[in-house]
Structures are given as C-alpha cells and as structure tokens.
C-alpha cells in the first residue's frame, strides 16, 4: 500500500462520535496543549491493525506523507511503522550488523527530522522509548556518549514541548535496561519545567527508574530535589512507595496525600 491508500482507508473508518471524545480527551481546544489537532475517531487497536498489515513492505520513503498528515491517527500509524521497522533491526544477531546499523540510523534520522509531528503525548510515549530510547542502549548504537547526549540535549533544550517530552520519556527504555543515568540527567534538566505534562512525564520516569534500577537512587534524587519538585512530579515519582514513605516525602514541601 502507498501512504495515500493508507490515508484513504483510515479516513473511511471515520467515527464522528469517537472523534468528539478524542478531541476532548487530547485537549484540542483553543489554548490547550493539543490545540488544532484533528482526529478521525479511530481507536488505537484499529491503527495498530493497519500497521500490522503494512509495515514489513511499506517503503521508508512513504512514511513522511503519513507523518505530515493533519490526522492524529495517521501520524500515529506512521510513527508505529517506524517503531516496527526499528524493532525488527534490534535482535542480538543484528546488533552489530553494518546494514542493520545503517537502516536503524535512517529510521532514527527520520524520527528526529519529523519529531514535531509527534505533537501529542500519546504519539511521543508510543514511539520515543522504542526508537530513541533503544538507540541510547550500548548494544544497538556504536555512537559515543557525547553524541547521544548532544542529540538528547538538543531535544531537551528545544522550545517544543513534544521534543522536550521525548528527551525524558525515551529514558524508560534505558531504565528498563538497568541504566539510570539518562533518567537522572534529564529529570534534573526538566525539574523546573512549567508544563504539567512534563511534571507527569518526569515523575513517571523517575518512578520507573526506581522500580527498574534502584529505589536508593530514587531516594537520593528526592533528598536532593524533593523540596523544589512540582507537586505532580513528586506524587508520580513516589507513587509505588508505601503510604508512610509517601507522606514523608510530601511533607518536605508541605503537601498531603
């Protein structure tokens, strides 16, 4: 299938009632974070079914047309095709294969080039850990730490909320692999971010880092920064702790459960 055929097919599934629900849920009204986003009204399993049917033979050159679509679900389809293609190239057998490395880099380059098209939290969260996060792991990328930090710093220092969210949410993957350093670095960078969506993302990633890597590291981060963390960020970070311990951390800033 071509990108146009996919778009035509997805448009044929349009559901007006579901569309209204999604546009409210993803805050598409004036002044909201998803202002202007357009939905067809498809549920995620419907989009995933399209991806399952096309991703293997779908040309990389066709994906930008999907990513540039005004439709949220079509952009998600493009991103999930990139994810599927990237993951196919991440087996241990292909980790150091020159051709696989080349193809992974092509996918990563496209993902970063069109990063602004992942312009809502679900689009970021369903793609960044599996592409950008996987690229950070030593097994899959020969690039040095300096180059990886340069790429993530560029995202983190962008004035684009979704690029900023990518820089922290992608650390879900590195924490899963037992490396807490990326999460700790970008949690600290975004500590004073003004947007609630980033407070949630940072707290969520800190919680996952503690669960996957070390609760002691999470507690050390909290000892250093709990006094300056926004309420939402702190609550997300300590969500899996005991009620007694959560009360202790919340008291640092006078918060209550």
């Amino acid at each position: 299938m071509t990108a146009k055929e996919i778009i035509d097919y997805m448009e044929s599934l349009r559901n007006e009632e579901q569309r209204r629900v999604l546009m409210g849920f993803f805050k598409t009204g004036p002044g909201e974070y998803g202002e202007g986003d357009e939905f067809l009204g498809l549920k995620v399993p419907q989009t995933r079914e399209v991806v399952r049917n096309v991703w293997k033979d779908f040309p990389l050159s066709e994906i930008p047309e999907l990513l540039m679509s005004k439709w949220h679900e079509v952009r998600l389809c493009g991103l999930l095709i990139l994810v599927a293609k990237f993951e196919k190239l991440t087996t241990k057998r292909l980790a150091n294969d020159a051709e696989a490395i080349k193809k992974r880099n092509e996918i990563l380059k496209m993902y970063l080039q069109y990063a602004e098209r992942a312009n809502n939290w679900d689009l970021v969260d369903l793609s960044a850990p599996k592409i950008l996060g996987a690229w950070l792991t030593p097994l899959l990328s020969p690039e040095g730490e300096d180059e990886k930090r340069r790429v993530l710093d560029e995202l983190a220092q962008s004035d684009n909320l979704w690029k900023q969210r990518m820089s922290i949410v992608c650390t879900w993957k590195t924490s899963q692999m037992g490396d807490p350093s990326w999460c700790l670095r970008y949690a600290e960078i975004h500590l004073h971010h003004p947007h609630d969506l980033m407070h949630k993302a940072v707290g969520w990633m800190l919680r996952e880092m503690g669960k996957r890597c070390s609760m002691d590291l999470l507690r050390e981060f909290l000892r250093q920064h709990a006094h300056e963390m926004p309420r939402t960020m702190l609550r997300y970070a300590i969500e899996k702790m005991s009620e007694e311990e959560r009360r202790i951390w919340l008291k640092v800033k006078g918060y209550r459960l």
Side-chain angles (χ1 to χ4, degrees), residues 140-191:
L140 293 181
S141 58
E143 293 83 358
E145 296 288 301
D146 289 346
E147 173 61 12
K148 295 174 186 178
R149 279 196 295 270
R150 184 195 67 77
V151 170
L152 259 65
D153 283 355
E154 190 172 304
L155 292 171
Q157 294 163 9
S158 164
D159 59 2
N160 180 277
L161 173 64
W162 310 114
K163 289 184 175 182
Q164 294 166 353
R165 188 173 172 100
M166 283 180 180
S167 71
I168 182 65
V169 172
C170 74
T171 70
W172 193 3
K173 181 66 174 182
T174 51
S175 291
Q176 286 178 327
M177 300 295 289
D179 181 358
S181 63
W182 296 98
C183 175
L184 294 171
R185 174 180 174 84
Y186 291 96
E188 193 162 16
I189 286 174
H190 292 305
L191 202 61

Side-chain angles (χ1 to χ4, degrees), residues 1-165:
M1 295 181 74
T2 64
K4 184 181 185 305
E5 288 172 327
I6 288 177
I7 295 170
D8 288 346
Y9 173 70
M10 295 182 75
E11 287 179 340
S12 76
L13 301 175
R14 182 169 178 152
N15 182 315
E16 189 61 32
E17 183 179 350
Q18 179 72 4
R19 175 179 176 273
R20 288 194 295 270
V21 171
L22 291 173
M23 291 185 72
F25 182 74
F26 286 104
K27 307 297 183 185
T28 63
E32 295 182 309
Y33 61 74
E35 180 178 359
D37 203 354
E38 292 280 354
F39 286 78
L40 289 167
L42 276 64
K43 295 183 178 180
V44 173
Q46 291 176 286
T47 302
R48 288 193 181 277
E49 183 179 5
V50 174
V51 174
R52 280 195 300 271
N53 290 334
V54 306
W55 74 268
K56 289 183 180 179
D57 300 316
F58 194 75
L60 201 62
S61 60
E62 289 278 307
I63 293 179
E65 187 172 345
L66 300 178
L67 299 180
M68 291 303 297
S69 172
K70 70 176 181 178
W71 301 118
H72 184 105
E73 296 93 335
V74 173
R75 296 197 305 280
L76 175 59
C77 181
L79 291 166
L80 292 180
I81 291 173
L82 283 179
V83 167
K85 286 182 175 294
F86 193 90
E87 289 188 322
K88 181 68 174 179
L89 299 166
T90 61
T91 62
K92 287 185 179 180
R93 181 177 63 84
L94 294 176
N96 296 310
D97 180 84
E99 186 62 23
I101 291 172
K102 178 183 176 182
K103 290 179 180 178
R104 288 199 300 265
N105 285 340
E106 287 175 359
I107 293 169
L108 176 70
K109 182 179 179 181
M110 180 175 289
Y111 184 70
L112 293 171
Q113 182 180 353
Y114 290 92
E116 291 185 13
R117 302 303 296 163
N119 56 348
N120 218 310
W121 57 264
D122 63 318
L123 303 180
V124 172
D125 297 356
L126 290 172
S127 60
K130 293 183 177 181
I131 296 177
L132 193 56
W135 174 70
L136 294 176
T137 62
L139 178 65
L140 293 181
S141 58
E143 293 83 358
E145 296 288 301
D146 289 346
E147 173 61 12
K148 295 174 186 178
R149 279 196 295 270
R150 184 195 67 77
V151 170
L152 259 65
D153 283 355
E154 190 172 304
L155 292 171
Q157 294 163 9
S158 164
D159 59 2
N160 180 277
L161 173 64
W162 310 114
K163 289 184 175 182
Q164 294 166 353
R165 188 173 172 100

